Amino acid sequence: MPRLKFPLGTALLAVLMLAFHLHLSRGLLYASEAALLPFVLHYTSLPTSFFTYPFVHAGVLHLAGNLVPFLLFGALLESIAGTAVFLLVFAISALAAGAVFLLASPSVALAGASAGITGVIGAAIVSRPKLTFLLVLVSLVLAHFTILPLVDNAFNQQVDGFSEARDDLSNLAGVLAERNESEAAVAVAAQAAEAGGNVARLEAGRSLEASAPSDFLAHSVGALVGVAFILFFRKDLAAAGSREFWQAVSKVRGFRRSAFRLGR
């Protein structure tokens, strides 16, 4: 069992992803498409987008769905291989996947940390297969029974809140206009329009997130890079992972033989 320590690199990158999203979305659950475009990877993008696209997410579900496995597998890899190896695996996997994606699908935009995350998972599988498999199960359970309900609830609450504010402010602007308080009415009407714009932005963001496909090629390249990194540069971890895997296989075979004898 690896000696656990605080995964500083994992924590810092997770905070950066969250801060990036909050900055682009201006505190809402979803950022506008116009706010995302300068930072996603696309053939028209600046070269800096190779470094920014892993931190840009189409919406809060995309972000949360990446943050949970990132924290789980990032903490595992960093605890057994060190912060430098973790950061290198994440960065090289994301860069390699981005380059292959750009060549294969130049007209499609790529965003999100998932290519770097699959690289981290690939490296973790080679290094600690049993614990990685367990964390895969944990992440799937968290995604379906925690993340999805929480995101749906947060979205509905934010939309309902802005919708109610829009309606209340619109009514107030009408009352002020009837009282000939035109300056106050204009100011309140502007606030109502802003609340209505937030509702429209949230709904558009949810629609954009739902229509964004998951790219199998980028994920596969990321995972292969993570596996290759450990096999070539951390052979000690690869050897330990191989022993762990074959010990598990041997135990399964022994259990099956015992079950077969009992069945007879």
Side-chain angles (χ1 to χ4, degrees), residues 202-219:
L202 285 167
E203 292 175 342
R206 188 83 181 257
S207 177
L208 176 66
E209 182 181 60
S211 64
S214 178
D215 191 80
F216 177 77
L217 177 62
H219 294 166

PDB file of all heavy atoms in Angstrom, residues 202-219:
ATOM      1  N   LEU A 202     -27.790  30.281 -18.858  1.00  0.00           N
ATOM      2  CA  LEU A 202     -27.786  28.977 -18.197  1.00  0.00           C
ATOM      3  C   LEU A 202     -28.399  27.904 -19.083  1.00  0.00           C
ATOM      4  O   LEU A 202     -27.848  26.802 -19.226  1.00  0.00           O
ATOM      5  CB  LEU A 202     -28.545  29.058 -16.875  1.00  0.00           C
ATOM      6  CG  LEU A 202     -27.823  29.761 -15.722  1.00  0.00           C
ATOM      7  CD1 LEU A 202     -28.796  30.060 -14.588  1.00  0.00           C
ATOM      8  CD2 LEU A 202     -26.664  28.924 -15.216  1.00  0.00           C
ATOM      9  N   GLU A 203     -29.523  28.209 -19.705  1.00  0.00           N
ATOM     10  CA  GLU A 203     -30.193  27.233 -20.562  1.00  0.00           C
ATOM     11  C   GLU A 203     -29.365  26.941 -21.811  1.00  0.00           C
ATOM     12  O   GLU A 203     -29.287  25.790 -22.255  1.00  0.00           O
ATOM     13  CB  GLU A 203     -31.583  27.740 -20.923  1.00  0.00           C
ATOM     14  CG  GLU A 203     -32.525  27.790 -19.713  1.00  0.00           C
ATOM     15  CD  GLU A 203     -33.868  28.407 -20.030  1.00  0.00           C
ATOM     16  OE1 GLU A 203     -33.966  29.100 -21.074  1.00  0.00           O
ATOM     17  OE2 GLU A 203     -34.813  28.213 -19.233  1.00  0.00           O
ATOM     18  N   ALA A 204     -28.741  27.984 -22.377  1.00  0.00           N
ATOM     19  CA  ALA A 204     -27.888  27.778 -23.554  1.00  0.00           C
ATOM     20  C   ALA A 204     -26.658  26.953 -23.185  1.00  0.00           C
ATOM     21  O   ALA A 204     -26.221  26.079 -23.951  1.00  0.00           O
ATOM     22  CB  ALA A 204     -27.478  29.124 -24.137  1.00  0.00           C
ATOM     23  N   GLY A 205     -26.094  27.222 -22.002  1.00  0.00           N
ATOM     24  CA  GLY A 205     -24.927  26.459 -21.552  1.00  0.00           C
ATOM     25  C   GLY A 205     -25.258  24.998 -21.326  1.00  0.00           C
ATOM     26  O   GLY A 205     -24.483  24.112 -21.692  1.00  0.00           O
ATOM     27  N   ARG A 206     -26.429  24.747 -20.748  1.00  0.00           N
ATOM     28  CA  ARG A 206     -26.853  23.355 -20.517  1.00  0.00           C
ATOM     29  C   ARG A 206     -27.023  22.644 -21.851  1.00  0.00           C
ATOM     30  O   ARG A 206     -26.636  21.479 -21.996  1.00  0.00           O
ATOM     31  CB  ARG A 206     -28.168  23.350 -19.735  1.00  0.00           C
ATOM     32  CG  ARG A 206     -28.613  21.958 -19.268  1.00  0.00           C
ATOM     33  CD  ARG A 206     -27.900  21.612 -17.984  1.00  0.00           C
ATOM     34  NE  ARG A 206     -28.270  20.295 -17.505  1.00  0.00           N
ATOM     35  CZ  ARG A 206     -29.108  20.070 -16.498  1.00  0.00           C
ATOM     36  NH1 ARG A 206     -29.686  21.081 -15.872  1.00  0.00           N
ATOM     37  NH2 ARG A 206     -29.345  18.857 -16.081  1.00  0.00           N
ATOM     38  N   SER A 207     -27.598  23.336 -22.826  1.00  0.00           N
ATOM     39  CA  SER A 207     -27.804  22.746 -24.151  1.00  0.00           C
ATOM     40  C   SER A 207     -26.466  22.476 -24.844  1.00  0.00           C
ATOM     41  O   SER A 207     -26.271  21.419 -25.460  1.00  0.00           O
ATOM     42  CB  SER A 207     -28.662  23.680 -25.003  1.00  0.00           C
ATOM     43  OG  SER A 207     -28.813  23.175 -26.303  1.00  0.00           O
ATOM     44  N   LEU A 208     -25.530  23.430 -24.732  1.00  0.00           N
ATOM     45  CA  LEU A 208     -24.206  23.252 -25.337  1.00  0.00           C
ATOM     46  C   LEU A 208     -23.476  22.075 -24.708  1.00  0.00           C
ATOM     47  O   LEU A 208     -22.865  21.261 -25.405  1.00  0.00           O
ATOM     48  CB  LEU A 208     -23.390  24.534 -25.170  1.00  0.00           C
ATOM     49  CG  LEU A 208     -21.935  24.481 -25.663  1.00  0.00           C
ATOM     50  CD1 LEU A 208     -21.894  24.308 -27.177  1.00  0.00           C
ATOM     51  CD2 LEU A 208     -21.187  25.758 -25.255  1.00  0.00           C
ATOM     52  N   GLU A 209     -23.541  21.965 -23.407  1.00  0.00           N
ATOM     53  CA  GLU A 209     -22.881  20.871 -22.693  1.00  0.00           C
ATOM     54  C   GLU A 209     -23.461  19.521 -23.113  1.00  0.00           C
ATOM     55  O   GLU A 209     -22.726  18.553 -23.332  1.00  0.00           O
ATOM     56  CB  GLU A 209     -23.042  21.066 -21.198  1.00  0.00           C
ATOM     57  CG  GLU A 209     -22.353  20.010 -20.345  1.00  0.00           C
ATOM     58  CD  GLU A 209     -22.578  20.253 -18.867  1.00  0.00           C
ATOM     59  OE1 GLU A 209     -23.755  20.264 -18.444  1.00  0.00           O
ATOM     60  OE2 GLU A 209     -21.596  20.443 -18.141  1.00  0.00           O
ATOM     61  N   ALA A 210     -24.786  19.461 -23.238  1.00  0.00           N
ATOM     62  CA  ALA A 210     -25.438  18.204 -23.606  1.00  0.00           C
ATOM     63  C   ALA A 210     -25.099  17.782 -25.035  1.00  0.00           C
ATOM     64  O   ALA A 210     -25.065  16.582 -25.345  1.00  0.00           O
ATOM     65  CB  ALA A 210     -26.952  18.335 -23.453  1.00  0.00           C
ATOM     66  N   SER A 211     -24.851  18.766 -25.912  1.00  0.00           N
ATOM     67  CA  SER A 211     -24.583  18.448 -27.319  1.00  0.00           C
ATOM     68  C   SER A 211     -23.106  18.187 -27.592  1.00  0.00           C
ATOM     69  O   SER A 211     -22.753  17.744 -28.687  1.00  0.00           O
ATOM     70  CB  SER A 211     -25.070  19.598 -28.214  1.00  0.00           C
ATOM     71  OG  SER A 211     -24.332  20.784 -27.950  1.00  0.00           O
ATOM     72  N   ALA A 212     -22.227  18.473 -26.614  1.00  0.00           N
ATOM     73  CA  ALA A 212     -20.793  18.286 -26.824  1.00  0.00           C
ATOM     74  C   ALA A 212     -20.439  16.804 -26.719  1.00  0.00           C
ATOM     75  O   ALA A 212     -20.673  16.182 -25.680  1.00  0.00           O
ATOM     76  CB  ALA A 212     -20.004  19.091 -25.791  1.00  0.00           C
ATOM     77  N   PRO A 213     -19.879  16.209 -27.779  1.00  0.00           N
ATOM     78  CA  PRO A 213     -19.560  14.775 -27.734  1.00  0.00           C
ATOM     79  C   PRO A 213     -18.296  14.507 -26.928  1.00  0.00           C
ATOM     80  O   PRO A 213     -17.430  15.370 -26.769  1.00  0.00           O
ATOM     81  CB  PRO A 213     -19.345  14.421 -29.214  1.00  0.00           C
ATOM     82  CG  PRO A 213     -18.839  15.694 -29.815  1.00  0.00           C
ATOM     83  CD  PRO A 213     -19.530  16.807 -29.073  1.00  0.00           C
ATOM     84  N   SER A 214     -18.192  13.299 -26.396  1.00  0.00           N
ATOM     85  CA  SER A 214     -16.979  12.848 -25.721  1.00  0.00           C
ATOM     86  C   SER A 214     -16.062  12.227 -26.771  1.00  0.00           C
ATOM     87  O   SER A 214     -16.487  11.368 -27.543  1.00  0.00           O
ATOM     88  CB  SER A 214     -17.329  11.820 -24.646  1.00  0.00           C
ATOM     89  OG  SER A 214     -16.167  11.349 -24.019  1.00  0.00           O
ATOM     90  N   ASP A 215     -14.807  12.679 -26.821  1.00  0.00           N
ATOM     91  CA  ASP A 215     -13.910  12.230 -27.885  1.00  0.00           C
ATOM     92  C   ASP A 215     -13.108  11.006 -27.462  1.00  0.00           C
ATOM     93  O   ASP A 215     -12.238  11.092 -26.583  1.00  0.00           O
ATOM     94  CB  ASP A 215     -12.965  13.358 -28.297  1.00  0.00           C
ATOM     95  CG  ASP A 215     -12.218  13.024 -29.568  1.00  0.00           C
ATOM     96  OD1 ASP A 215     -12.799  13.170 -30.646  1.00  0.00           O
ATOM     97  OD2 ASP A 215     -11.057  12.580 -29.474  1.00  0.00           O
ATOM     98  N   PHE A 216     -13.397   9.877 -28.092  1.00  0.00           N
ATOM     99  CA  PHE A 216     -12.737   8.620 -27.753  1.00  0.00           C
ATOM    100  C   PHE A 216     -11.257   8.657 -28.118  1.00  0.00           C
ATOM    101  O   PHE A 216     -10.407   8.122 -27.397  1.00  0.00           O
ATOM    102  CB  PHE A 216     -13.430   7.470 -28.483  1.00  0.00           C
ATOM    103  CG  PHE A 216     -12.794   6.132 -28.259  1.00  0.00           C
ATOM    104  CD1 PHE A 216     -12.996   5.437 -27.074  1.00  0.00           C
ATOM    105  CD2 PHE A 216     -11.974   5.560 -29.226  1.00  0.00           C
ATOM    106  CE1 PHE A 216     -12.396   4.204 -26.853  1.00  0.00           C
ATOM    107  CE2 PHE A 216     -11.379   4.334 -29.018  1.00  0.00           C
ATOM    108  CZ  PHE A 216     -11.590   3.646 -27.836  1.00  0.00           C
ATOM    109  N   LEU A 217     -10.927   9.301 -29.251  1.00  0.00           N
ATOM    110  CA  LEU A 217      -9.534   9.345 -29.692  1.00  0.00           C
ATOM    111  C   LEU A 217      -8.652  10.073 -28.694  1.00  0.00           C
ATOM    112  O   LEU A 217      -7.586   9.579 -28.313  1.00  0.00           O
ATOM    113  CB  LEU A 217      -9.445  10.020 -31.066  1.00  0.00           C
ATOM    114  CG  LEU A 217      -8.032  10.202 -31.640  1.00  0.00           C
ATOM    115  CD1 LEU A 217      -7.368   8.847 -31.850  1.00  0.00           C
ATOM    116  CD2 LEU A 217      -8.088  10.990 -32.949  1.00  0.00           C
ATOM    117  N   ALA A 218      -9.085  11.249 -28.253  1.00  0.00           N
ATOM    118  CA  ALA A 218      -8.282  12.029 -27.301  1.00  0.00           C
ATOM    119  C   ALA A 218      -8.101  11.263 -25.996  1.00  0.00           C
ATOM    120  O   ALA A 218      -7.007  11.243 -25.417  1.00  0.00           O
ATOM    121  CB  ALA A 218      -8.949  13.378 -27.044  1.00  0.00           C
ATOM    122  N   HIS A 219      -9.168  10.622 -25.525  1.00  0.00           N
ATOM    123  CA  HIS A 219      -9.078   9.852 -24.281  1.00  0.00           C
ATOM    124  C   HIS A 219      -8.122   8.670 -24.439  1.00  0.00           C
ATOM    125  O   HIS A 219      -7.334   8.374 -23.529  1.00  0.00           O
ATOM    126  CB  HIS A 219     -10.460   9.347 -23.882  1.00  0.00           C
ATOM    127  CG  HIS A 219     -11.406  10.442 -23.517  1.00  0.00           C
ATOM    128  ND1 HIS A 219     -12.765  10.242 -23.393  1.00  0.00           N
ATOM    129  CD2 HIS A 219     -11.208  11.756 -23.263  1.00  0.00           C
ATOM    130  CE1 HIS A 219     -13.351  11.371 -23.061  1.00  0.00           C
ATOM    131  NE2 HIS A 219     -12.421  12.308 -22.980  1.00  0.00           N
TER     132      HIS A 219
END
